[in-house]
Amino acid sequence: MAMRIGIDGRPLIGNRSGIGRYVYEISRELDRALPEARFFVYSPIPVEMPVLSERWTSRVENLPWARSLKAALWLKLRAGALCRADELDSFIGSAVFLPMLPRSTRTVSVVYDLNFIYAPETMARTTLWSYRFFFRGDVCRAGRVVAISEGTSARLAAYMGRGADIVVHPAASSVFRPLPKEETAPILKSHGISTPYLLAVATWEPRKNLDLLVTTFTRMKEEGLLKDHSLVLVGGYGWRDARLQRLLAGRAAERVLPLGYVADENLPALYSGADALVFPSRYEGFGMPVLEARACGTRVVATDIPEIREAGGDGCVYIQANAEGLRKGILDALAMPRVTGRMEPLPTWKAGAQAIADLLAWR
């Protein structure tokens, strides 16, 4: 009989960023790696399915009261019943947590980071407490654990004595490549972007350090160090972003262009047109924008932590995530030559999905 695989679809809710893109791309490649399998995607509300096929089934909550639950509680209180009805062989906890499943169901937990340990003050309260309640127990009972970086696996092992069974890095698909000016210009114009500019790609939440970036950039502009540059912010609203919004409503307003969410197909042009990507995050499980910018030949300024080094390799300017580090890193990056070709080798979604497919076949 065909393998029946369940996937936690909560990361696919809304616009796809970090984790959502990881789950979407891995799911699409799993479809190719396991052509006989049936897939079931579980979510409290409708999501964009990674694959439109008779082998893919969307399982959306049909009880009104259950749709109003917080996402983690819904997974714990309701998703298990839906999964059991589908008689799954395997379940992929694509956002770490696992529903209540029969012992016969093989389980895989995907761990992206340990924010609740290393940056708890940056998390939304309900998310923080769900991790404190469920993370250790679910990772312990998972049949197999996937981490998105060697750094995350090492931190996991230090925290609870269990590292990942495999590491599956995020990837940059083939669309992320250096684009010529004639391809980037129309897309930049459609977004109201003038060159030269610096680029930041991140959700508006405290861990991403965007308020520090805006403040430092504004001061550098006032001192004449970045006379002609603007700063373009790509990323949706998150949480605890009131200070950032105040900055953008004040003296930074004329110098910073916040675009909000930008569709994936337009990102290569924004990376290619930028003088540098600036990524001063306090902590990351990997750092997908760093990898994507690297694939587009864009200079990168990024925080010096092991996980981000896995994304950026040897060609980035690594900094301490403070004003002095940012200031020096931006100037150093602008003095570097651009990369003219796509840097290889880079991780691929195909290879990552195949590693997870092999993991699902254990007995």
Side-chain angles (χ1 to χ4, degrees), residues 13 34-35 74 83 91 141 199 248 254 278 319 327 336:
I13 295 173
L34 298 169
W74 176 84
C83 293
F91 183 87
R141 71 185 176 94
L199 177 66
L248 295 177
E254 296 181 0
V278 188
I319 63 168
R327 183 188 185 96
M336 294 169 55

Side-chain angles (χ1 to χ4, degrees), residues 208-226:
K208 303 300 183 178
N209 238 355
L210 294 176
D211 53 347
L212 174 67
L213 173 58
V214 169
T215 300
T216 303
F217 174 81
T218 301
R219 288 175 179 168
M220 293 178 73
K221 288 285 290 185
E222 291 171 347
E223 294 170 15
L225 295 175
L226 296 171

Side-chain angles (χ1 to χ4, degrees), residues 47-69:
V47 299
E48 180 184 354
M49 293 290 285
V51 179
L52 298 179
S53 164
E54 62 182 13
R55 293 190 298 110
W56 284 75
T57 302
S58 175
R59 290 285 189 250
V60 178
E61 180 58 67
N62 59 5
L63 297 178
W65 67 267
R67 288 197 294 270
S68 65
L69 292 171

